[in-house]
Amino acid sequence: EALKVVAGRGLIELHQGRRAVVSEPSSAVISSIFASYVRRDPSALLELVDVRLALEAQSVTLAARQATRAGLAAMEASLTQMFAAATDFENSGDDAEKRSLARTSFQSADVAFHEAIALSSGNRMLAHVLEALEDTLLRAFFASFEGHVLQGGSAMDTYYAHKRIFDFIRDKDAKRAAASMREHLQQAKHDLRAVINDSQNNYDDIELGQMATETP
């Protein structure tokens, strides 16, 4: 029974007729823990921002000091996708399907941008933790995006916030890169509060790739 519990946590692998084997390190365990918190309680998304403030301020500082050409190229590719998706979203009018596709593309690029920063930091543990948060981050990004739009903001606002972070990383200005990341995450927290408190949005319906409401 104890082995089954440990296996359920992803720490060992059980096969009938064979000894238990210690699992390879995986982000799945961390990912499932964060996901369960967020599913049960919307305020956990706000706590997630606090965690990100601690992790990403450090990762962006390290990335600004030692990002390679490959790392910068990965960030820039994500920004290119974000810009294209933001343009499509803002030009979609009342086409709900086009808006949804653009938003999905925007959020996937957003996650890729933050992961590229973590990888460029050179700290494997930071990168591993942020990788583990990917699914939860996607949910948080969809929610904060909705909150930003509800308050009259635009997808381009978020794009330019990321562009400022990238510019400081490229210029090796660690102090301003960290300050821009903190500003961006504080805005995300503000946007999350807006969507969580919005009576017209059912938080339980906010899923990856689809929000509870379509904002006109």
Side-chain angles (χ1 to χ4, degrees), residues 52 152 187:
R52 291 179 61 202
Q187 179 63 52

Side-chain angles (χ1 to χ4, degrees), residues 20-73:
V21 178
V22 176
S23 300
E24 290 291 327
S26 169
S27 61
V29 177
I30 302 174
S31 178
S32 64
I33 292 171
F34 276 92
S36 65
Y37 278 124
V38 168
R39 281 194 297 268
R40 289 198 302 266
D41 180 12
S43 66
L45 287 174
L46 302 176
E47 295 177 16
L48 176 63
V49 176
D50 292 333
V51 172
R52 291 179 61 202
L53 276 165
L55 294 175
E56 297 202 64
Q58 179 66 8
S59 69
V60 78
T61 297
L62 294 173
R65 292 172 180 167
Q66 56 193 32
T68 62
R69 286 184 182 178
L72 292 172

Side-chain angles (χ1 to χ4, degrees), residues 63-65 67 72 163-177:
R65 292 172 180 167
L72 292 172
K163 180 66 164 55
R164 282 194 295 274
I165 294 169
F166 171 76
D167 288 342
F168 288 131
I169 293 173
R170 184 193 54 203
D171 295 342
K172 298 189 179 299
D173 191 334
K175 186 175 181 179
R176 289 186 177 181

